[in-house]
Amino acid sequence: MSDQPSSPPAKRTGKRPAKPHRRPQKDPVRFLAFEALRAVDERDAYANLVLPPLLKKARAKGDFDERDAALATELVYGTLRRQGTYDAVVAACVDRPLREVDPPVLDVLALGAHQLLGTRIPTHAAVSASVELARVVLGEGRAKFVNAVLRKISKQDLDAWVEQVAPPYDDDAEAHLAVVHSHPRWIVSALWDALGGGRAGIEDLLEADNERPEVTLVARPGRSTADELLDAVGEDSGLPGRWSPYAVRLAEGGEPGAIAAVQEGRAGVQDEGSQLVAVALANAPVEGRDERWLDGCAGPGGKAAMLAGLAAGRGAALLASEKQPHRARLVERALAGNPGPYQVIAADGTRPPWLPGSFDRVLMDVPCSGLGALRRRPEARWRRRAEDLEGFAPLQRGLLREALSAVRVGGVVGYATCSPHLAETRVVVDDVLKGRGGHQPVEAEWIDARPLLPGVPALGDGPDVQLWPHLHGTDAMYLALLRRTA
Ligand SMILES: C[S@@+](CC[C@H](N)C(=O)[O-])C[C@H]1O[C@@H](n2cnc3c(N)ncnc32)[C@H](O)[C@@H]1O
């Protein structure tokens, strides 16, 4: 870093000369991380969409290498994931409520707190880089404030801070876990209700949400195999899936886009939990004919591509339906090249164009809060509100009712969510079966889904299954399987 004075030399007055003004130095990594955090904060942008173009631009300018890109990504994702903890620490170091501190100042402080408490960056480097960033983006006055706060934060490590700022577990367990594991309290509460059990399990789950998930590939049935993918990525860069015979796990830094089968659409990126849902539905026993399958909420097409391949292997056809036309186009892209018959349509699953009783197997992978995929969207937990669930409730029930109407007697429906929240999972299925809310009860029986996920441990008492990041290494996917009885 060069010390270029930008102010004239002090006059010889006999007084101590003023410290020469040095122009602030723009560190491209911290500056980019700050820009990304501002976009997430100000424009409600998604970090995983904002970062790639910023990184591309920085690389094109030539002042960024791969290590810089990795550090910038870590700083953005780490700061967003741990924001709840860092906010509590920062709040303890400033003399006014955080809502009275300007958001850009809070972003610089959180970024600095992450470097100090969540990375191995040496303290002096973390403080000076953050103060320098503050000089560039906030100005001299506020850089002094940043300096003072970060120096306070640097006095102790994360464990000591957490001990100081989190309420004791015995006084308020949920509030304690919310600060320690950086989740909003209502999410801690909802996840704990769904998971059950004691302290160890919920702590493991919350920590798993703070880990970067592995990238998992799917070999689309009939078009590729896990062995082909493993050969393509090489022994050092890939591992077989834990549970799905179609899965390959990529080592850190593995580039899915570099694999021919992915480029050709014969394979894709898909969490193993989603793969298991599609496989379990495809293998659930139906009575009699097994020719017409429906995916009623198909966009962007991950499960539909698997179902289409599995259907093709049995001489069945898939209708993939999706309400949003632009997402229906993504489904078309995912299914192109499928070896068997399929059709993609844009249609509202609550007012479907198909006749009742038309299908032998139906998947309804309904829109939901996404609380099961917090590992993937670092900002999502801070955006979601408990009230959002009320918005999804009627749609989820309506889609499940239509799924049960679309299937013939003896056929099977899979109701899936990427959320473990009970209000989106078991409660929806129970309400629909029992006809709560002024509807007719539906004549359908539960199918035990657990034997359809062979080898997967810790699936609870059934008949539905809930996967968990800390137990299965997957997103927290939920699956209920139902057979129409009349
Ligand atoms: C959880 S996503 C489905 C993910 C998909 N099964 C996959 O594996 O790629 C839910 C989808 O339902 C769509 N959707 C929302 N409301 C719908 C409706 N009324 N009818 C049909 N699809 C709907 C959303 O646009 C979204 O694409």
Side-chain angles (χ1 to χ4, degrees), residues 94-370:
V94 301
D95 54 6
R96 55 197 135 126
L98 288 194
R99 64 174 181 281
E100 290 175 18
V101 182
D102 280 347
V105 178
L106 286 179
D107 280 342
V108 173
L109 288 173
L111 203 49
H114 179 55
Q115 291 171 71
L116 285 167
L117 305 177
T119 71
R120 295 207 184 119
I121 297 172
T123 301
H124 66 273
V127 174
S128 68
S130 304
V131 172
E132 206 60 19
L133 173 68
R135 294 181 71 208
V136 173
V137 299
L138 305 173
E140 291 296 336
R142 295 200 287 182
K144 286 196 182 116
F145 173 72
V146 166
N147 185 29
V149 174
L150 291 183
R151 282 190 189 286
K152 273 192 199 166
I153 294 177
S154 70
K155 293 268 186 306
Q156 47 184 10
D157 66 11
L158 182 61
D159 288 346
W161 270 117
V162 160
E163 179 78 26
Q164 181 178 327
V165 299
Y169 183 88
D170 291 336
D171 290 359
D172 186 340
E174 287 175 3
H176 173 87
L177 296 175
V179 173
V180 174
H181 301 287
S182 187
H183 281 61
R185 183 192 176 129
W186 74 271
I187 293 184
V188 173
S189 180
L191 293 178
W192 208 347
D193 281 349
L195 180 64
R199 178 174 179 172
I202 182 69
E203 293 221 54
D204 287 349
L205 169 60
L206 297 173
E207 257 330 283
D209 277 348
N210 289 331
E211 300 293 326
R212 189 145 37 110
E214 283 172 321
V215 176
T216 310
L217 302 178
V218 59
R220 291 184 170 145
R223 299 164 71 186
S224 170
T225 62
D227 283 343
E228 180 196 343
L229 297 182
L230 280 169
D231 282 348
V233 299
E235 260 180 27
D236 295 340
S237 307
L239 284 172
R242 289 189 183 87
W243 324 113
S244 160
Y246 303 97
V248 165
R249 293 179 286 147
L250 279 193
E252 183 133 351
E255 259 300 322
I259 300 163
V262 174
Q263 290 164 6
E264 292 157 15
R266 295 184 295 107
V269 174
Q270 188 177 41
D271 181 68
E272 264 194 271
S274 292
Q275 300 184 32
L276 291 178
V277 163
V279 173
L281 174 69
N283 289 340
V286 298
E287 292 154 7
R289 191 191 72 188
D290 189 11
E291 294 165 3
R292 301 194 60 196
W293 297 13
L294 168 70
D295 182 345
C297 284
K303 294 183 195 71
M306 277 203 92
L307 288 174
L310 294 167
R314 285 187 218 168
L318 177 77
L319 175 64
S321 176
E322 158 62 44
K323 185 175 179 189
Q324 304 290 343
H326 71 278
R327 287 173 76 81
R329 284 194 288 279
L330 297 178
V331 181
E332 261 162 20
R333 206 181 296 162
L335 267 60
N338 187 64
Y342 69 87
Q343 195 189 351
V344 179
I345 59 170
D348 182 340
T350 61
R351 289 186 295 158
W354 49 79
L355 294 174
S358 300
F359 297 96
D360 306 309
R361 290 180 197 274
V362 176
L363 176 66
M364 274 296 169
D365 182 17
V366 297
C368 70
S369 64

